[in-house]
Amino acid sequence: MRSALDYPLHPAAGDAVIHFPPVRVGEIMSQTVNQIVSQTMSQMRPMLPLLFALGLAAAFLPVVTAAAPAAPAGGTGAAGPAPDYAAWNDLLARNYDPARGMNYKDLKGKDGKALADLRQRMATVDVSGLAPPDQLAYWINLYNISVVSTVVDHYPVNSIRDISTDPITRLNVFKKETVAVKGGKLSLNDIENQKIRAGFKDPRIHFAINCAASSCPPIRPEAFTGPRLGEQLDDQARRFLNEPNRGVKIDSRDGSVVIHVTKVMDWFGDDFKNWAGGQVAFIRKYLPPEKQKLIDAAKGNVKLDFYPYDWKLNDTSAR
């Protein structure tokens, strides 16, 4: 299609020229335009309500679209059902005493298959589909189940460190990728440091995960669950910090206070400083009023003393 610009503005020599008086040309154009507009309006008048409605819809459509963004990639964000930890609860009920430890001999001899089956089921859980509290509960339970399973696989041993193959620190049992999860394998350190500590930044977890040592905070005699997780973590910290043998002891002398407490709070001191206002503030929160008053009376003149750590296996088996 060509446009008016393709035609010459001036006639060539010999072309016939038609002269229109300027006023007449204007009148003709005015009449012609008026007739076209009048005819067009007459034809469109029955369609005006429809056109008006379409105009409103077109104007409103961008607003509706902006108010309903697409769902994020990877799903709608709805949380899936939490894992079933009934088998773990049963194993604990039959083989574990929080005050003394685990009966690894019976667990291996009588419930070894049930424990192995539980580990397989835990490895199929899609953690990304769980709500955050259920995710943390899963990682804590998986850590504890995996530590117990590691000991059972090598039992009898006197310490979980005996399973390590590094001759000096004897701790690489925690570094080996032996824990099956959906999509691969992780080490116990991966679960503790990446999934639990870095993932949730909650120092209470140090009283929930158990490394099979006598000095370690005991396993909770029930599985951790998302709906009760906060209550369970508080209870774990409170119980351990108030234990008669491994709990907090306070020496008050000349206006100063020395708090004797688990070595765990030394190793992971930054977690308590960064996520709980400090070690002393965390400890104070879980102590009874009479001990809180001793700490308050020191007015900041407080020192921490950490118990030696006993890596002896938390074993109650008769051997």
Side-chain angles (χ1 to χ4, degrees), residues 10 18-19 23 43-45 62 75 78 90 106 115-116 132 139 164 231 234 238 250 275 278 283 288 293 309:
H10 300 285
I18 301 175
H19 296 280
V23 176
Q43 294 172 358
M44 293 182 63
R45 187 171 288 110
D90 291 342
D106 282 359
L115 181 61
W139 290 120
S164 294
E231 164 200 334
D234 279 335
R238 183 176 295 107
I250 297 180
W275 307 331
I283 293 168
K293 290 177 182 178
Y309 202 80

Side-chain angles (χ1 to χ4, degrees), residues 27-42:
E27 291 176 356
I28 293 173
M29 293 179 66
S30 177
Q31 292 174 4
T32 302
V33 169
N34 288 338
Q35 290 173 358
I36 293 172
V37 170
S38 178
Q39 292 174 1
T40 301
M41 291 300 294
S42 297

Side-chain angles (χ1 to χ4, degrees), residues 184-264:
K185 286 190 174 183
L186 297 173
S187 70
L188 290 167
N189 276 358
D190 291 337
I191 297 173
E192 178 180 5
N193 297 323
Q194 297 174 21
K195 301 300 184 181
I196 296 178
R197 293 176 61 222
F200 293 91
K201 297 179 171 58
D202 189 333
R204 296 176 298 176
I205 64 92
H206 293 297
F207 301 91
I209 58 175
N210 179 273
C211 64
S214 294
S215 288
C216 195
I219 300 174
R220 188 171 183 84
E222 64 175 355
F224 289 90
T225 60
R228 297 181 53 227
L229 186 60
E231 164 200 334
Q232 290 175 313
L233 291 176
D234 279 335
D235 187 58
Q236 284 293 108
R238 183 176 295 107
R239 284 177 179 273
F240 185 74
L241 293 174
N242 289 281
E243 274 193 4
N245 298 323
R246 296 177 292 184
V248 168
K249 292 180 175 60
I250 297 180
D251 290 334
S252 180
R253 302 171 189 164
D254 301 325
S256 66
V257 159
V258 177
I259 301 176
H260 305 275
V261 70
T262 174
K263 186 69 174 176
V264 170

Side-chain angles (χ1 to χ4, degrees), residues 92-109:
L92 290 172
R94 286 196 295 271
N95 300 285
Y96 187 68
D97 178 355
R100 299 173 60 238
M102 184 71 73
N103 187 335
Y104 291 102
K105 182 178 179 180
D106 282 359
L107 180 57
K108 181 170 186 172

Side-chain angles (χ1 to χ4, degrees), residues 46-129:
M47 301 175 63
L48 286 178
L50 176 61
L51 293 174
F52 180 73
L54 291 174
L56 282 179
F60 185 67
L61 183 59
V63 177
V64 174
T65 303
T76 61
D84 183 356
Y85 300 116
W88 180 230
N89 288 335
D90 291 342
L91 290 172
L92 290 172
R94 286 196 295 271
N95 300 285
Y96 187 68
D97 178 355
R100 299 173 60 238
M102 184 71 73
N103 187 335
Y104 291 102
K105 182 178 179 180
D106 282 359
L107 180 57
K108 181 170 186 172
K110 300 176 181 178
D111 286 317
K113 185 180 185 306
L115 181 61
D117 290 345
L118 174 60
R119 292 182 72 180
Q120 290 180 355
R121 289 195 298 275
M122 293 290 284
T124 66
V125 174
D126 182 4
V127 188
S128 64

Side-chain angles (χ1 to χ4, degrees), residues 130-141:
L130 302 177
D134 287 314
Q135 290 183 17
L136 180 52
Y138 169 83
W139 290 120
I140 294 173
N141 290 328

